[in-house]
Amino acid sequence: LTGSISLGPFRAQIIGEMLMPLQRHVGVRCSTVRASNNRFRVAPRAMSTQTSGLVSNWMELDRDPASRAAVQALVDAGEEGKLQDMLGKRLEFGTAGLRGRMGPGFNAMNTVTVQQTTQGLCRYLQHAAPEQLKAGGVVIGFDGR
């Protein structure tokens, strides 16, 4: 149950007060019931600390407003499974390099994953072949297919 309903302030307060015991009795999984500005809102139950940490980490790194909005929409909808899939796994290098669908999360191609991969590759080359790196540099390109 997620959503909001426009009500008068008195009705919103009454429904909120009535719904809280009902949640406990029937096991409706909600974390908050708010009545403010003549709106009644039931929000999904709180996410696990692991998922909340993944979301916080992503939001700290991601600067793309559309990507951030997509993740926030999943948080607001209580889509913990989708968030775990997006943020709890990482793309892996395969025989064709780093490939994946475009989208938000550590399990997709986006600015954050490309920056982190580039940084990791540079650190590896600084350790494994510092002289060649210094002498020749690195070229990174992309395939726009």
Side-chain angles (χ1 to χ4, degrees):
L1 172 66
T2 302
S4 61
I5 305 167
S6 291
L7 301 168
F10 182 68
R11 285 185 182 160
Q13 179 182 356
I14 289 173
I15 289 175
E17 289 172 3
M18 290 171 55
L19 189 59
M20 292 305 279
L22 182 62
Q23 291 180 78
R24 288 188 291 275
H25 181 68
V26 256
V28 175
R29 299 164 95 187
C30 300
S31 62
T32 59
V33 175
R34 293 188 306 239
S36 63
N37 297 329
N38 298 334
R39 307 256 325 151
F40 166 73
R41 176 158 175 78
V42 178
R45 68 178 172 85
M47 287 189 204
S48 69
T49 53
Q50 179 189 15
T51 303
S52 294
L54 291 168
V55 169
S56 294
N57 187 23
W58 177 259
M59 293 299 215
E60 194 174 298
L61 297 171
D62 190 16
R63 300 292 172 241
D64 178 7
S67 171
R68 293 172 59 85
V71 171
Q72 188 61 52
L74 291 173
V75 169
D76 293 344
E79 296 284 354
E80 188 162 2
K82 289 181 182 177
L83 288 164
Q84 278 287 338
D85 185 50
M86 289 171 58
L87 304 171
K89 303 173 189 169
R90 293 226 174 232
L91 286 180
E92 295 181 12
F93 270 96
T95 55
L98 190 64
R99 300 177 85 178
R101 64 173 180 72
M102 296 290 293
F106 299 113
N107 197 21
M109 291 296 292
N110 54 62
T111 304
V112 173
T113 56
V114 170
Q115 287 173 340
Q116 289 181 337
T117 302
T118 304
Q119 185 177 18
L121 178 61
C122 286
R123 285 187 181 162
Y124 170 78
L125 292 172
Q126 286 171 335
H127 176 73
E131 295 305 316
Q132 293 90 334
L133 180 62
K134 189 174 183 179
V138 175
V139 175
I140 298 176
F142 80 98
D143 181 350
R145 286 185 262 170

